[in-house]
Amino acid sequence: SMLAATPSTSEWDILSAINPNLLSFQVQSIVVDPKNGAINDNRERFTSVGMQRHSSKLIAYGILTKDIPLIDMGIKIVEYALSYQSFNGSFPNFLPEGGEGVPRSVSFFLQDTGRSLLLAQGSSWFKSSEQTSKLRARLKRIIPAVTNSLNWLMSREEELRKHDRVATNRIFFH
C-alpha cells in the first residue's frame, strides 16, 4: 500500500508564491464589523458560528503583508464567535435548520480557526516580532475555548456522519 508522504512545501511557501492581489480580493470580499468582528448575518445579531469561518483569510494576508490591523481583525472574528460559546463547547444556532446544523457549523468554524492558528505558528515573523506580541497573547488565550469546542464536536461524530452522508466532501472535512 502507498502511504502519502508529508509534503515538503508549507502553506506559507504556496501563499508567498501567489499573486497578492488574489489574496487581497478574497479578504476584501469578507464584510466584517470592525467593532466586534461579526461577519455576514452575524453583524445584525448572532445567527451561526459557521459564518465566522473566514479569520484565516485575513490572518494569512495580514501576516504575508505584515498588516497588524488586518491580523487583529482576523483574531476579532474568532473572539466574536467564541463569545457565544456555551459552557459545553457548542454554540447557539438561529438558522432555519436549527440545532441540526450546529455540529457542521462548528466544524467549519473550527477548521478555519485551526488554520489561523497554524498560519500564525508557521510564521517566524509573527512568532518573533515585537509588533505581534499582543496578537500572539490573544491567540494563546483562545486555545482553551477552541479545545473545548473540539471536544464537543468529537462527541457529535455520529451526528455529523448522518447529517452529511450525502456530502462526501464534508465527511472527509469533518
Side-chain angles (χ1 to χ4, degrees):
S1 77
M2 261 175 62
L3 295 175
T6 304
S8 59
T9 303
S10 75
E11 185 171 1
W12 279 119
D13 294 330
I14 295 166
L15 289 172
S16 300
I18 292 175
N19 180 338
N21 292 330
L22 201 58
L23 297 173
S24 174
F25 177 75
Q26 262 196 326
V27 167
Q28 290 171 15
S29 70
I30 302 165
V31 183
V32 185
D33 183 327
K35 293 187 301 290
N36 61 13
I39 297 178
N40 298 329
D41 291 353
N42 284 345
R43 289 177 300 144
E44 298 297 319
R45 70 176 179 88
F46 183 82
T47 305
S48 170
V49 70
M51 291 185 190
Q52 295 299 118
R53 67 177 183 243
H54 299 290
S55 66
S56 65
K57 293 177 178 110
L58 278 72
I59 289 174
Y61 189 63
I63 291 174
L64 201 59
T65 59
K66 295 181 172 53
D67 184 332
I68 299 295
L70 196 55
I71 302 166
D72 171 70
M73 188 58 62
I75 296 171
K76 247 187 212 179
I77 289 170
V78 176
E79 291 169 335
Y80 173 81
L82 292 174
S83 73
Y84 287 90
Q85 183 185 48
S86 302
F87 181 76
N88 69 355
S90 68
F91 293 85
N93 188 4
F94 301 103
L95 292 174
E97 63 197 6
E100 247 183 66
V102 173
R104 178 182 46 219
S105 195
V106 172
S107 72
F108 283 122
F109 167 71
L110 289 176
Q111 182 277 331
D112 185 72
T113 300
R115 180 173 179 239
S116 292
L117 292 168
L118 288 171
L119 286 166
Q121 183 183 41
S123 165
S124 54
W125 170 76
F126 185 84
K127 289 190 305 188
S128 62
S129 173
E130 183 57 38
Q131 292 177 289
T132 61
S133 63
K134 288 180 178 157
L135 299 173
R136 288 192 307 269
R138 285 169 56 202
L139 283 179
K140 190 174 182 180
R141 280 195 297 273
I142 70 167
I143 291 174
V146 170
T147 302
N148 189 25
S149 285
L150 280 169
N151 287 330
W152 177 84
L153 187 62
M154 288 174 15
S155 74
R156 299 295 186 272
E157 181 181 354
E158 196 53 45
E159 198 176 330
L160 281 168
R161 287 181 191 276
K162 179 182 172 205
H163 190 68
D164 288 340
R165 69 184 175 279
V166 295
T168 52
N169 61 318
R170 290 188 191 150
I171 298 286
F172 287 109
F173 178 76
H174 302 310

